[in-house]
Amino acid sequence: MSEWEKELRSFGQAHSQDTDEHYKSAVEIICSGKEYISPSASELNTQQRAYHFQLDEKKWERLLSELAYSPLLLEGMWYDGSLLHALFLDQSYQPLIACLPIEDGRYYGLSAVRKEAVFYERMINDLWGVESLSPVELPPLVDHRKWERMAPCNNKLPSLSPHTADFSIFTEEMEKHLASSKAELIETGPADGARHAPYALHLVANIHHILGAQLSVGYGHRGMVARMRDLPLHHAFPYVARLNAAASIAHQWAFAQAVEQALSIHVSKNTSLQRCILAELERMTAHLSVLIQLWEETDARLLAAHCEKILEEIRDLNDQVCGHRFLMDTIMPSRNSATFTLDQIRFIKAHLSILARYNDELYALYAEATGLRKSLLGKGVLSYPLAMEMNIGGVSGRASGRDYDLRRSMPGYDLKWLSALSFPQGCCEARIRMRLAELTASLRIIHAATDRLEKGMNDPQYPYKREEVVDYAQQGLYAGWGRAESAEGVVWYWVKIEEGRIADISYADPSQKLSIIAEHLLKQAHWTDGPLIVTSLGFSAAGTDG
Amino acid sequence: MKTLRLVLSHVFHPSPLNTENYIEVDRPIGLFHIATGGCGACGQELSALSGAAYGLARWGVEFVRTPQQAHYLLLTGALSRNMGFAVDAAWHAMPSPKGIIAVGDCALGEGIFSQNYATFGGMKGRIQADLTISGCPPSPALIGDAIMSLLHSSRHSQPPPPPQAPEEPPPLSSNEENSGG
């Protein structure tokens, strides 16, 4: 039984015979394409199966018609200047990439059959001027008509000046609601004095509930992909680490895994264990940061103060152990820049007992706040079918009944450390409980990992030096895919390395899908709950950069 | 028991800020923060600074939610082109005297996000700041100490000029004397 099927059955749902056939048919169409990377590079990666295929237009259209009925999960789309790539996950959550040559700047888009494709197709259109033929409305995402030219990544297009007049953030549906005399427009951001990365929330609401919602991102767009393309491999690390501070380790680890897979680099057990410890430290800080924002939204100052104290303890620990409060620039392919000594491991363990005590107090405080918990119940419900359809992982997925945790298959983790945590409610309160539960679980994982690391201090480490990796990467063409579980879900990277440089790169941050989910959840909510619902998802606008 | 714990927490957990040199401000000082395109780390350090771990609000410095309440515009990030208008609008909405504080390497133009189609690459040569705090990100203690030093120095300088309606919109720089103070 596939991972996916297990998950569906655990929730009392099952595949029909028809969907299974459509799924198989869609996979067959993709696999019938030409293998994307040249044979010379594929031969080097003999251990990995082929998962990237180039389709012609006919096959692409057949794939689209199958996708309408097939539950193949779409994880991301990108354009590289000549080919459009769409990354799917099969039923074992393994990647399957289909790519299509684009000749006239247009293609049949996936947004007609996949909600999440809207985000990627808008991004591709903004950056490259490549248009999706889709019945769905695709307004600009990151191009707010403030750039010097349109489609800045596409040098083949003539330098077009932006047209400010045609820029509207509202969809037709929102315009229709706005025309109604009983609806009001409520807007916050992008400069609202808050400390998070900039985004704007546009709500069309009547006295009872929100009729339409638009979460506008792209205000802080930095052009991450354009910056990383064509860079020497090691120059890309600082960008990866600074893509989203809330998930810096997850990004670094996923990128390192992609490079390691591409170059067939072996990673030692101790390196993986250290990464696991760093990832759990980051998970705790991410949960605490979201909780602080939530307590501020709900005016629960005592809980906020408690979380702030714990967060500072962890940031201080990060600084002392790795030299950076946000653990940036710590993970490299084949190794970690910060090596844990025995003293450091003991230092972490000593801190764990303090953190555990603080954590217990936080739990007790929340348990006592009955009124607060009651006020959060039933708000912003993410249903299980929607979480499953859009493959929402992390806290939001598990608080909606999903039993998906990528850490179960990540190196460094032990299945014994990961209990099956899942709540069926899917509301703000369930997400908060999940965060609190994961704080406790992270402490337990760090404890177990440090124990194991302490015992295995003499195991062989770092089979490759940095120079060796650089030399090896300069010898040909490689491609690899890697992923890591952040607090909010899976972060993945796909990277193509050519003669030591990044020829192409794509990535996904959970916030990309959460921006679409937020708009869904906001509809029918009361307008005063808008910011609370967005915050409870752990959405970070920095992660939506492209 | 609780009293003992409170006393012990003061003994073993002194303030991470260098408070010996801090001055009591005569009136609350408002900071209006705008994230202009970065990873979000500087913003998180500012949250820590205003939170229970550092408690900058106890020294009369607080983050405000509208530019009208602010004495200083606090900028983080590489100044994206999409946020330029928001920075400009917030600056013009602030009453005089006012000032600008730039926090983090990205904002100072010393970070990795150089000028490209999407960003101006920081404020260097574009916006004149009263206080610059480097670091990627600078720690809350560093930010807090720098802000308090600025307030200390502005207190000992000339009194601020009375607010006047400018004939033309002023450039986005804080070259007014005694800004913010």
Side-chain angles (χ1 to χ4, degrees), chain A residues 183-219:
Chain A
E184 294 289 336
L185 179 64
I186 301 151
E187 295 180 294
T188 52
D192 55 2
R195 263 84 76 198
H196 52 67
Y199 66 85
L201 198 54
H202 312 275
L203 307 174
V204 180
N206 62 22
I207 196 163
H208 304 293
H209 57 254
I210 297 166
L211 302 165
Q214 185 85 37
L215 181 67
S216 297
V217 297
Y219 288 98

Side-chain angles (χ1 to χ4, degrees), chain A residues 243-369:
Chain A
L243 209 146
N244 179 5
S248 179
I249 283 292
H251 276 268
Q252 291 176 65
W253 197 352
F255 180 70
Q257 279 196 43
V259 175
E260 284 155 5
Q261 192 199 62
L263 303 179
S264 305
I265 292 173
H266 169 73
V267 177
S268 74
K269 277 183 188 171
N270 282 359
T271 304
S272 296
L273 272 172
Q274 288 180 16
R275 289 176 180 182
C276 160
I277 294 167
L278 295 173
E280 291 308 311
L281 285 169
E282 179 175 87
R283 176 176 302 276
M284 292 178 74
T285 57
H287 287 327
L288 288 163
S289 299
V290 174
L291 287 173
I292 290 167
Q293 285 181 54
L294 279 167
W295 304 143
E296 281 175 2
E297 296 279 357
T298 50
D299 234 4
R301 302 286 170 189
L302 185 64
L303 280 162
H306 214 80
C307 288
E308 281 159 357
K309 292 266 185 178
I310 307 174
L311 180 61
E312 189 51 31
E313 282 287 333
I314 303 172
R315 289 258 156 83
D316 193 39
L317 175 67
N318 291 348
D319 194 20
Q320 296 196 45
V321 174
C322 296
H324 200 287
R325 285 165 58 86
F326 288 79
L327 303 169
M328 287 171 182
D329 309 316
T330 47
I331 295 179
M332 311 274 167
S334 95
R335 67 199 180 94
N336 303 330
S337 65
T339 318
F340 289 170
T341 61
L342 200 56
D343 283 344
Q344 279 174 320
I345 293 169
R346 286 175 185 159
F347 183 74
I348 295 172
K349 284 173 92 171
H351 260 71
L352 288 181
S353 54
I354 302 169
L355 289 172
R357 202 187 70 220
Y358 285 167
N359 191 48
D360 291 345
E361 286 173 11
L362 175 65
Y363 223 102
L365 270 177
Y366 183 66
E368 280 172 25

Side-chain angles (χ1 to χ4, degrees), chain A residues 47-278:
Chain A
Q47 288 176 343
Q48 67 192 71
R49 66 175 177 85
Y51 60 83
H52 202 154
F53 301 92
Q54 186 173 328
L55 308 184
D56 56 29
E57 209 159 319
K58 274 188 180 170
K59 281 182 181 170
W60 181 264
E61 283 172 32
R62 270 179 58 212
L63 176 65
L64 284 187
S65 58
E66 285 299 334
L67 283 175
Y69 308 100
S70 162
L72 200 61
L73 300 168
L74 178 69
E75 275 296 285
M77 290 170 74
W78 72 97
Y79 182 66
D80 65 6
S82 58
L83 292 167
L84 175 85
H85 305 258
L87 193 151
F88 299 93
L89 289 184
D90 68 15
Q91 287 190 334
S92 315
Y93 299 108
Q94 292 304 311
L96 196 57
I97 310 176
C99 56
L100 173 77
I102 306 285
E103 280 159 16
D104 53 358
R106 288 174 176 205
Y107 61 96
Y108 286 107
L110 298 179
S111 49
V113 287
R114 290 287 182 277
K115 286 188 189 85
E116 56 274 38
V118 169
F119 181 93
Y120 312 115
E121 289 179 4
R122 288 167 75 189
M123 181 74 83
I124 290 167
N125 194 15
D126 284 1
L127 300 184
W128 294 92
V130 174
E131 210 179 341
S132 158
L133 299 171
S134 165
V136 182
E137 208 178 345
L138 298 169
L141 182 77
V142 291
D143 180 3
H144 295 194
R145 304 296 190 255
K146 307 282 184 214
W147 302 341
E148 282 169 2
R149 57 166 292 178
M150 293 172 81
C153 295
N154 198 341
N155 297 327
K156 291 176 196 164
L157 282 180
S159 178
L160 296 170
S161 301
H163 307 292
T164 43
D166 69 355
F167 179 64
S168 169
I169 50 167
F170 298 123
T171 56
E172 267 180 38
E173 188 199 358
M174 283 185 72
E175 297 273 11
K176 206 168 73 186
H177 287 309
L178 268 175
S180 145
S181 58
K182 285 178 185 168
E184 294 289 336
L185 179 64
I186 301 151
E187 295 180 294
T188 52
D192 55 2
R195 263 84 76 198
H196 52 67
Y199 66 85
L201 198 54
H202 312 275
L203 307 174
V204 180
N206 62 22
I207 196 163
H208 304 293
H209 57 254
I210 297 166
L211 302 165
Q214 185 85 37
L215 181 67
S216 297
V217 297
Y219 288 98
H221 180 69
R222 294 158 282 170
M224 295 301 290
V225 170
R227 285 179 193 276
M228 285 192 271
R229 285 183 77 166
D230 213 32
L231 275 185
L233 184 58
H234 278 80
H235 290 200
F237 299 148
Y239 291 103
V240 170
R242 284 159 186 79
L243 209 146
N244 179 5
S248 179
I249 283 292
H251 276 268
Q252 291 176 65
W253 197 352
F255 180 70
Q257 279 196 43
V259 175
E260 284 155 5
Q261 192 199 62
L263 303 179
S264 305
I265 292 173
H266 169 73
V267 177
S268 74
K269 277 183 188 171
N270 282 359
T271 304
S272 296
L273 272 172
Q274 288 180 16
R275 289 176 180 182
C276 160
I277 294 167
L278 295 173

Side-chain angles (χ1 to χ4, degrees), chain A residues 127 142 148 152 192-195 198 218-219 221-224 227 239 242 245 289 308 312 315 324-326 361, chain B residues 5 33 35 38-39 43-45 47 50-52 54 63 65 80-83 112-114 116-119 136 140:
Chain A
L127 300 184
V142 291
E148 282 169 2
D192 55 2
R195 263 84 76 198
Y219 288 98
H221 180 69
R222 294 158 282 170
M224 295 301 290
R227 285 179 193 276
Y239 291 103
R242 284 159 186 79
S289 299
E308 281 159 357
E312 189 51 31
R315 289 258 156 83
H324 200 287
R325 285 165 58 86
F326 288 79
E361 286 173 11
Chain B
R5 215 166 119 189
H33 171 239
C39 65
Q44 290 198 33
E45 294 296 48
S47 287
S50 61
Y54 291 87
F63 288 90
R65 299 303 292 253
S80 70
R81 291 172 196 267
N82 286 343
M83 280 301 283
I112 57 169
F113 300 114
S114 54
N116 72 349
Y117 73 87
T119 71
C136 184

